[in-house]
Amino acid sequence: MGNTAIIGLQWGDEGKGKIVDFLADKFDAVVRFQGGHNAGHTIKVGDKTYKLSLLPSGIIRGKFSVIGSGVVVDPIALFSEIKKIEEAGIKIESEKLAIAENACLILSVHRELDQLLESKKGEKKIGTTGRGIGPAYEDRAGRRAVRICDLMDDKILTERLENLLFYHNLLRKSLGAEIVTIQQIIAELEPVRARLLTHAKPAFEIAKKLNSFANVMFEGAQGALLDVTYGTYPFVTSSNTMAGQIALGSCLGVADLHKTIGILKAYTTRVGSGPFPTELECEIGNFLRIEGKEVGTVTGRDRRCGWFDAVLVRQSIQLSSVKEVALTKLDVLDKLEKIKICVGYKIGDKTFDYLPQANHLWDQIEPIYEEMEGWQESSFGAKTLAELPQKARNYVKRIEDLCSIKASIISTGPKREETIIL
Ligand code: IMP
């Protein structure tokens, strides 16, 4: 396979967990390179279901797993996730899980600030996962974050926390929240500090180890449309979610990425606020939500649902140099009589083949749709293209043509074996 990135091409929740797990056997190592425990990956192996937020999915298959320098790490959440996975019978030793020592920490003050700011914004809120991701990345850019390596020395840790809490306490006072002391944060970290350090490795050492393997998988979290630079800003997450981020967040460099596979859901969903041109606030949207079990893994929120939007997907493919895609959840559309695909936008008297970044235009977008016949037969669990109803094949082909891309995998159910390889 060579070193391959797997990234979502919509607003996250495209079913990356299954595809990453499905392909994991072909890789020697799996690396997370951005985001934090805002991600939610559900993996079904036999009759067991694993829910991961921060751990790379490869951990379930015993692969060498890395939490790279571009990730923000909530150590308490990490060890509670590790505990659950270990209770399910998978041991996570320090030789199996390496965490870049320069990764920045998410602390309770980040989570609290995330939630406080969201609660003050009312209608204008982003709809974050409330896990402190945004404030942690802000502190990283503001040069006041605490990194994992800062936990190695009491004096440095105290200095870093002084700096961080000076800023947070100023904000907290203005928001009417209680002041936080250095001792409080140190007490929070104490139960996990020693074990976290057993996993901490210099990025250089991690790079050497990863370079000793022929096939490394870079596991994306969220989706391309949530990218802080190219996504639907400001309704985005705070990290770069596109493949380019691998060069800065995985411990490996730009030439070490050989191919990017994009994950596409056969329709569109998003959680949180922000533009969604093909959203269906009607019976069909409800049908997709129920049929697709569209409830957030992390937050338990209902996902907003809509038709497949080729405009947005083409953009994501272009901006991340995606060369092939895996199409997921095709079976969710099985019962529909008619299916629409958005092929362009009309704004006023102009047509657009991309989503303009200018926020004032978003309310005026009228999607231009093509309508296709639904197949109204089961595609669930199909393992070969021949097992797919002809009209379902037509739908896949139309998506390929509109997005100028080939599907190399079609997923027809949550289990590993419910997959078509092309
Ligand atoms: P944050 O990443 O918690 O700051 O949330 C920012 C936006 O990204 C919100 O709309 C979240 O719902 C969305 N988001 C964050 N992580 C995920 C994910 O893993 N899947 C889908 N949406 C996500």
Side-chain angles (χ1 to χ4, degrees):
M1 294 288 284
N3 292 354
T4 304
I6 311 282
I7 62 161
L9 297 182
Q10 293 150 316
W11 279 293
D13 309 311
E14 297 90 353
K16 288 183 293 294
K18 170 181 161 171
I19 304 296
V20 165
D21 179 62
F22 179 77
L23 294 173
D25 284 348
K26 302 190 184 337
F27 293 90
D28 311 297
V30 179
V31 184
R32 277 280 309 265
F33 56 92
Q34 48 73 223
H37 65 310
N38 48 347
H41 293 165
T42 306
I43 299 170
K44 282 188 190 270
V45 183
D47 55 1
K48 280 196 175 168
T49 301
Y50 300 93
K51 287 191 187 291
L52 301 178
S53 284
L54 185 55
L55 288 168
S57 302
I59 209 90
I60 303 295
R61 302 269 162 202
K63 305 288 171 171
F64 177 63
S65 296
V66 173
I67 295 179
S69 315
V71 176
V72 281
V73 178
D74 179 329
I76 316 285
L78 173 66
F79 285 106
S80 113
E81 194 173 318
I82 288 181
K83 187 162 174 266
K84 280 194 204 127
I85 298 294
E86 292 196 325
E87 279 166 4
I90 296 169
K91 191 99 194 80
I92 301 180
E93 291 111 353
S94 55
E95 305 80 60
K96 273 275 169 261
L97 176 68
I99 309 178
E101 65 177 13
N102 58 333
C104 294
L105 292 180
I106 301 181
L107 301 169
S108 55
V109 284
H110 296 117
R111 190 183 61 244
E112 286 161 15
L113 186 59
D114 192 357
Q115 293 171 6
L116 266 169
L117 290 173
E118 281 283 279
S119 70
K120 304 264 179 207
K121 282 184 190 156
E123 289 276 284
K124 295 215 162 64
K125 68 177 185 211
I126 304 281
T128 71
T129 58
R131 299 200 158 189
I133 308 295
Y137 276 114
E138 281 174 45
D139 282 343
R140 185 175 85 153
R143 293 160 294 185
R144 49 182 178 263
V146 178
R147 297 173 307 159
I148 292 175
C149 52
D150 298 330
L151 300 177
M152 290 174 188
D153 182 88
D154 284 340
K155 185 164 165 286
I156 293 286
L157 178 61
T158 306
E159 272 174 32
R160 301 298 307 152
L161 282 173
E162 253 167 28
N163 199 31
L164 180 82
L165 293 184
F166 169 73
Y167 178 80
H168 274 263
N169 282 333
L170 280 178
L171 284 176
R172 292 172 74 93
K173 269 188 226 159
S174 68
L175 291 165
E178 274 178 25
I179 297 299
V180 172
T181 65
I182 295 177
Q183 290 68 33
Q184 274 172 284
I185 303 289
I186 291 182
E188 255 173 50
L189 289 169
E190 222 36 60
V192 292
R193 187 172 170 184
R195 183 158 179 206
L196 184 59
L197 287 174
T198 66
H199 292 277
K201 303 278 178 320
F204 179 65
E205 291 291 325
I206 295 176
K208 274 199 291 188
K209 173 108 183 187
L210 289 174
N211 272 323
S212 72
F213 298 126
N215 301 297
V216 174
M217 180 198 284
F218 303 104
E219 178 183 6
Q222 291 82 51
L225 300 170
L226 288 171
D227 184 281
V228 67
T229 310
Y230 288 113
T232 47
Y233 192 91
F235 302 100
V236 291
T237 190
S238 296
S239 64
N240 286 107
T241 55
M242 290 193 168
Q245 168 62 18
I246 288 163
L248 290 168
S250 71
C251 301
L252 286 179
V254 65
D256 294 316
L257 170 63
H258 305 142
K259 183 165 76 174
T260 300
I261 301 180
I263 314 297
L264 271 188
K265 188 151 35 181
Y267 49 98
T268 314
T269 61
R270 87 173 289 177
V271 276
S273 324
F276 186 167
T278 62
E279 183 167 14
L280 292 163
E281 287 174 292
C282 61
E283 236 174 74
I284 303 177
N286 239 348
F287 167 85
L288 293 173
R289 187 172 307 114
I290 293 164
E291 210 61 16
K293 301 187 181 64
E294 297 295 353
V295 178
T297 317
V298 168
T299 56
R301 286 180 292 181
D302 275 353
R303 295 180 186 138
R304 300 156 65 192
C305 297
W307 296 122
F308 185 86
D309 188 337
V311 177
L312 294 177
V313 168
R314 273 197 301 254
Q315 241 173 259
S316 301
I317 288 174
Q318 173 78 41
L319 293 169
S320 274
S321 315
V322 173
K323 295 290 177 263
E324 55 187 87
V325 295
L327 188 69
T328 64
K329 298 187 105 168
L330 186 64
D331 56 290
V332 172
L333 306 178
D334 280 355
K335 295 182 191 143
L336 291 173
E337 202 183 318
K338 301 272 181 210
I339 301 173
K340 290 186 183 177
I341 301 181
C342 173
V343 296
Y345 298 148
K346 199 162 172 294
I347 303 178
D349 50 10
K350 282 196 185 146
T351 52
F352 285 72
D353 61 355
Y354 64 94
L355 179 78
Q357 278 288 346
N359 289 196
H360 71 282
L361 296 176
W362 289 348
D363 278 351
Q364 304 164 43
I365 294 176
E366 286 173 54
I368 304 168
Y369 285 117
E370 265 184 29
E371 193 173 75
M372 298 188 73
E373 294 280 311
W375 42 97
Q376 297 190 286
E377 284 175 62
S378 175
S379 67
F380 184 79
K383 295 181 180 63
T384 61
L385 203 56
E387 284 173 59
L388 278 189
Q390 182 58 47
K391 286 178 183 161
R393 275 186 264 166
N394 297 348
Y395 182 70
V396 175
K397 175 79 173 53
R398 191 65 193 129
I399 287 178
E400 287 181 327
D401 289 347
L402 285 168
C403 302
S404 309
I405 196 102
K406 281 279 160 221
S408 53
I409 297 174
I410 300 173
S411 166
T412 56
K415 295 209 178 120
R416 270 190 139 202
E417 54 281 12
E418 292 158 351
T419 310
I420 303 171
I421 307 286
L422 298 166

